[in-house]
Amino acid sequence: MLQPSEQHTYADIEAVYKCLEEGYGAKQEDIILYGQSVGSGPTLDLAARLPHLRAVVLHSPILSGLRVMYPVKKSYWFDIYKNIDKIQLVDCPVLVIHGTADEVVDCSHGKQLWELSKEKYEPLWLKGGNHCDLEHHPEYIRHLKKFVLTVEKPPSQRYTGSRRRSTDQQLLPPRKSTDIVFEASRKVERSRRSVDCCLEKSRKSVDHQLERGRKSVDRIRTG
């Protein structure tokens, strides 16, 4: 059986994309990628290679695996999921959602990724939100719905850049992609245990891959 690894997660999301493209005839322009926590890694890796994506949602994302544990200032060869380097290669609108009380991945990760995004959409910083409870906040689904409806419009009709959008903006009737997002959010609660399990496995994987680099990182911190 294959062991969990960074490269295997990249292969997984690539396989899903190929299935949508070849099996269902989906185009980049029809796809919104959604990455949560460690899942932001494969999400941004794929998004950086697809120039015509409709949009990307980053839910409690990480700057990189190493940066979750150490406040390093640059990327090292042994680091994994280097989102901080890939976000600048994403050409579509990016929505970042992060809880201000996140005890697993500090909110500063989400804020820095949003700052580095080319096409920023109004972010959602959920006050008091932790790492695995953002779906319980009423603002979560409202903001996500507004984002999906916005990116479904032609680019010339969207609010682009970091300019704040009015919460009174008139919404268009929901489309199929919107319904898919809502249905996925309803299933979050049932899949919470599996998400927590994946997060724990990812932490162990990070620890294993960083073993060779710990001494050099410690020297940086104490130097």
Side-chain angles (χ1 to χ4, degrees), residues 126-139:
L126 284 168
K127 186 176 181 180
N130 211 311
H131 195 65
C132 293
D133 67 356
L134 304 189
E135 302 86 356
H136 298 298
H137 293 252
E139 305 97 313

Side-chain angles (χ1 to χ4, degrees), residues 7-139:
Q7 294 305 317
H8 288 159
T9 62
Y10 294 155
D12 287 343
I13 196 171
E14 182 71 29
V16 172
Y17 172 68
K18 289 298 182 184
C19 177
L20 289 173
E21 183 181 46
E22 299 171 4
Y24 294 91
K27 300 178 181 179
Q28 292 184 37
E29 295 87 347
D30 301 324
I31 298 174
I32 297 175
L33 295 183
Y34 190 113
Q36 179 175 355
S37 188
V38 174
S40 61
T43 295
L44 282 179
D45 183 77
L46 180 61
R49 296 183 282 110
L50 300 178
H52 304 298
L53 270 179
R54 178 62 63 88
V56 170
V57 180
L58 299 178
H59 177 148
S60 305
I62 63 175
L63 286 168
S64 74
L66 183 59
R67 287 174 173 86
V68 174
M69 298 180 290
Y70 297 99
V72 295
K73 301 300 182 183
K74 66 177 183 178
S75 297
Y76 291 89
W77 63 268
F78 52 84
D79 199 356
I80 64 173
Y81 299 125
K82 300 175 186 177
N83 292 339
I84 190 173
D85 299 327
K86 296 177 182 178
I87 186 66
Q88 301 169 74
L89 303 176
V90 176
D91 294 323
C92 63
V94 175
L95 165 62
V96 181
I97 304 172
H98 215 122
T100 61
D102 195 323
E103 297 177 348
V104 178
V105 180
D106 191 80
C107 190
S108 60
H109 286 244
K111 290 182 176 181
Q112 189 168 348
L113 287 173
W114 182 79
E115 290 288 349
L116 292 171
S117 300
K118 284 183 181 179
E119 188 171 347
K120 302 174 178 65
Y121 184 85
E122 179 187 359
L124 179 59
W125 314 127
L126 284 168
K127 186 176 181 180
N130 211 311
H131 195 65
C132 293
D133 67 356
L134 304 189
E135 302 86 356
H136 298 298
H137 293 252
E139 305 97 313

